[in-house]
Amino acid sequence: MQLVVARIGRAHGIKGEVTVEVRTDEPELRLGPGAVLATEPASAGPLTIETGRVHSGRLLLRFAGVSDRTGAEALRNTLLIAEVDPQDMPEDPDEYYDHQLMDLDVVLADGTEVGRITEITHLPSQDLFIVERPNGTEVMIPFVEEIVTEIDLAEQKAVIDPPPGLIDNNAVVAGTTDGDAGAGADGGGDDGAAKGDPS
């Protein structure tokens, strides 16, 4: 299957290098020299990575056949797409590719349905599941081990142990009865790979 692994940014210097917005947790594997990547739009590729280096915290790539700033600028905003075996798993056992997590059922430890993962947002500090509730609202679930206690790909479910107020508007107070679950926060997402230990 095909996964977006990066988006090309602006040209860097005059020798054809471009900045890259990485959308994979394995850039050394997907974006190394010699890698051949499909593109969106397709007319821009395929592109073969000639060199790669990190400069001021940003990944810079140069592609075969692109040797000047004009050629580099022409690639701006192009998506880089890698062919990935659907059975592949990230090297870290606590990491998952986004396509493996999409559409998982989200449930509490007792089996209570919370919703379904529709998007995954990658933030600098942690990843977020965007979960659609049965009533059509959305809630954001931080993908951290304290909250997401289990990912079961065989059963297609994610088990969560949310703190009070995360998935409902009625935090439980000692001596009171449980309230009905309410709507969560809205959110959006990007592409990439997710890690349960804060990609």
Side-chain angles (χ1 to χ4, degrees):
M1 68 181 300
Q2 293 188 322
L3 294 178
V4 174
V5 293
R7 182 179 67 84
I8 297 174
R10 62 180 182 275
H12 179 84
I14 61 172
K15 296 183 179 180
E17 284 185 313
V18 294
T19 61
V20 173
E21 175 191 312
V22 177
R23 295 186 178 180
T24 173
D25 282 347
E26 300 175 308
E28 68 286 345
L29 175 65
R30 308 293 180 199
L31 300 171
V36 179
L37 301 167
T39 60
E40 176 61 44
S43 59
L47 294 172
T48 301
I49 297 175
E50 195 167 79
T51 63
R53 65 188 178 99
V54 176
H55 175 73
S56 299
R58 296 295 301 269
L59 178 62
L60 302 179
L61 297 179
R62 181 164 45 233
F63 300 100
V66 180
S67 58
D68 58 25
R69 188 176 184 88
T70 300
E73 277 293 346
L75 295 174
R76 191 167 185 170
N77 293 322
T78 297
L79 298 178
L80 300 176
I81 302 168
E83 190 69 37
V84 177
D85 186 332
Q87 302 305 314
D88 279 356
M89 292 289 289
E91 292 182 5
D92 188 328
D94 290 326
E95 289 186 2
Y96 299 86
Y97 292 128
D98 284 7
H99 71 272
Q100 296 172 313
L101 301 171
M102 290 292 289
D103 292 324
L104 291 187
D105 293 324
V106 179
V107 298
L108 301 179
D110 64 3
T112 301
E113 179 185 9
V114 175
R116 179 178 59 87
I117 299 173
T118 58
E119 285 186 74
I120 297 158
T121 299
H122 300 277
L123 301 178
S125 59
Q126 65 188 15
D127 298 319
L128 292 174
F129 291 160
I130 309 302
V131 177
E132 182 177 319
R133 305 296 303 275
N135 63 5
T137 62
E138 291 182 336
V139 62
M140 293 186 289
I141 308 290
F143 188 20
V144 294
E145 60 185 347
E146 293 84 5
I147 296 174
V148 181
T149 59
E150 180 186 359
I151 297 290
D152 188 334
L153 296 180
E155 294 291 329
Q156 287 290 288
K157 69 179 181 180
V159 181
I160 65 170
D161 181 18
L166 181 65
I167 61 171
D168 58 55
N169 293 328
N170 303 307
V172 177
V173 178
T176 65
T177 57
D178 292 347
D180 293 331
D186 291 332
D190 293 320
D191 295 323
K195 183 172 183 178
D197 185 22
S199 80

